[in-house]
Amino acid sequence: MTTLTITQPDDLHLHVRDGEALKSVVPDTAKQFARAIIMPNLAEPITSVAMASNYREQILSASQSTSFTPLMTLYLTDKTDTATIKEVNSSHFTHALKLYPAGATTNSDKGVTDLANITPALEAMQKLGVPLLVHGEVTDPSIDIFDREQAFIDTTLIPLIKQFPDLKVVLEHITTRQAVDFVNQASDNIVATITAHHLLMNRNDIFTGGIRPHHYCLPVLKRETHRQALVTAATSGSPKFFLGTDSAPHPQHAKESACGCAGMYTALHAMELYTEAFDNADALNKLEGFASFYGADFYGLEHNTNTITLKKEKWQVPKSLTLGDSTIIPLRANEFCEWKLI
Ligand code: DOR
Ligand code: ZN
């Protein structure tokens, strides 16, 4: 197959930051995706519907597209109350709340320190059908970084689901075979997003010829057997697995540093990268469900009606891009993509 036309996809996990950086990155997403679930982990996290409304306006005015819809989320803290959950449920533009275990990743220091602190909020979310989006890694520094997702599933997620069996949960950006197995065995209300970078790379890519800060993200890339399990899940046709890029812009200087930030910038060419991953697995016929239907179905949204077309044509990714008054290095900078969005 040399061209592929599918229903316009949605990105169910995206970081766009704020201010000048936001203006640089939002158009990249809006060129490909009809909608995106916007992560709330700004330096000052989005913790109320009023803040989400303001943030949404910034994204809409930066999108350079009249048809792009940001789907807003709130950041759970130890203080999130049931009134906030009710407000999320009745607002037409807020769709979920995100659980960042405090200390797990970028701007997570104001996250939840103990799930017991948000029991009433979780009860309300379960009752109202408001999805809980989860960064699934334990924060205990004594746990090996490559085992933190599995440890989270065992010590936190399984007990959580036992306590709230009807809670809608998205295990975000899964990276391991154990996460795939867990989601497959769980009930229908438990689903997962998968990034393009975790489908295309393994942990060797962090160290090819030297340390590669632009290949550092959280959860960190895992070994090849896990990558293969993710490809199997994404291309299985199961509605439990859908597209979430986790595109996470950081300025070049913050990545290329003695203590570099976590995150890869894939918004530029996300659909090209996913298409390549599905093509490598000989599963292009499974891309549309994964990219355009299953996420929308989980969130109770209509399917998009536009289409996008991709062509099998090699092109070179720019060396760098503008990010506000700085620069950003996209994934595959100066290297090639096999598919091109037309
Ligand atoms: O690599 C990541 N970057 N993982 C996350 O969980 C957060 C994200 C970010 O916000 O930079
Ligand atoms: Zn993320």
Side-chain angles (χ1 to χ4, degrees):
M1 208 187 288
T2 54
T3 67
L4 178 69
T5 296
I6 60 169
T7 302
Q8 193 175 16
D10 299 314
D11 182 352
L12 287 313
H13 184 128
L14 177 68
H15 301 265
V16 295
R17 315 302 184 208
D18 54 6
E20 291 305 306
L22 176 148
K23 292 181 195 158
S24 304
V25 299
V26 170
D28 283 345
T29 291
K31 257 182 266 164
Q32 303 160 69
F33 296 99
R35 300 171 289 207
I37 287 276
I38 306 295
M39 289 297 128
N41 64 328
L42 301 185
E44 185 60 47
I46 303 297
T47 52
S48 69
V49 171
M51 289 173 85
S53 169
N54 188 301
Y55 190 27
R56 177 174 173 270
E57 293 304 325
Q58 287 183 50
I59 297 167
L60 282 171
S61 64
S63 73
Q64 299 173 10
S65 152
T66 49
S67 58
F68 178 69
T69 305
L71 309 168
M72 308 309 293
T73 65
L74 264 55
Y75 183 109
L76 278 163
T77 72
D78 287 337
K79 296 205 168 73
T80 307
D81 57 15
T82 55
T84 304
I85 306 302
K86 286 181 194 153
E87 233 188 304
V88 168
N89 185 51
S90 49
S91 144
H92 67 94
F93 57 80
T94 50
H95 296 267
L97 291 97
K98 177 79 187 275
L99 169 64
Y100 287 103
T105 187
T106 308
N107 295 337
S108 64
D109 45 308
K110 300 192 178 86
V112 174
T113 59
D114 184 346
L115 281 176
N117 295 332
I118 56 163
T119 301
L122 293 172
E123 275 166 356
M125 290 169 72
Q126 172 172 252
K127 186 163 156 229
L128 296 170
V130 175
L132 174 73
L133 316 184
V134 179
H135 183 105
E137 289 189 288
V138 293
T139 54
D140 178 349
S142 73
I143 307 285
D144 190 287
I145 190 167
F146 294 100
D147 297 334
R148 287 182 193 166
E149 184 172 273
Q150 176 169 16
F152 182 87
I153 292 169
D154 294 340
T155 64
T156 309
L157 196 52
I158 290 174
L160 179 78
I161 286 166
K162 223 175 238 164
Q163 197 182 352
F164 302 101
D166 296 324
L167 186 63
K168 293 180 81 168
V169 177
V170 185
L171 186 53
E172 299 287 349
H173 43 53
I174 59 169
T175 59
T176 57
R177 179 175 51 75
Q178 288 86 356
V180 168
D181 292 345
F182 169 76
V183 170
N184 269 324
Q185 286 158 23
S187 53
D188 290 349
N189 47 314
I190 315 294
V191 300
T193 54
I194 305 181
T195 75
H197 45 280
H198 289 105
L199 291 175
L200 289 165
M201 294 193 288
N202 67 35
R203 66 191 195 177
N204 287 338
D205 291 291
I206 310 170
F207 306 105
T208 316
I211 192 149
R212 300 293 192 110
H214 298 289
H215 292 172
Y216 172 57
C217 63
L218 286 171
V220 72
L221 295 170
K222 303 297 191 298
R223 61 167 72 237
E224 175 63 8
T225 50
H226 295 292
R227 188 194 69 80
Q228 288 171 4
L230 297 174
V231 170
T232 301
T235 60
S236 67
S238 164
K240 282 176 156 272
F241 301 98
F242 50 79
L243 185 156
T245 62
D246 199 21
S247 175
H250 290 279
Q252 182 174 6
H253 63 81
K255 295 282 295 172
E256 297 173 9
S257 141
C259 187
C261 303
M264 300 194 201
Y265 188 64
T266 56
L268 177 73
H269 42 9
M271 281 313 300
E272 283 105 332
L273 295 169
Y274 278 109
T275 305
E276 184 176 317
F278 276 64
D279 192 16
N280 290 344
D282 215 0
L284 286 174
N285 61 336
K286 295 294 200 304
L287 182 63
E288 187 177 41
F290 175 83
S292 314
F293 299 153
Y294 307 150
D297 292 343
F298 177 82
Y299 281 95
L301 304 167
E302 301 281 307
H303 291 179
N304 298 313
T305 48
N306 291 345
T307 58
I308 61 163
T309 297
L310 293 124
K311 192 172 169 201
K312 194 154 191 177
E313 181 186 305
K314 238 186 166 105
W315 62 281
Q316 192 167 19
V317 177
K319 266 205 285 232
S320 79
L321 306 165
T322 300
L323 181 73
D325 56 9
S326 182
T327 49
I328 186 165
I329 307 298
L331 188 65
R332 293 240 179 120
N334 219 23
E335 293 170 25
F336 291 87
C337 282
E338 300 295 324
W339 285 81
K340 189 159 179 38
L341 186 73
I342 44 180

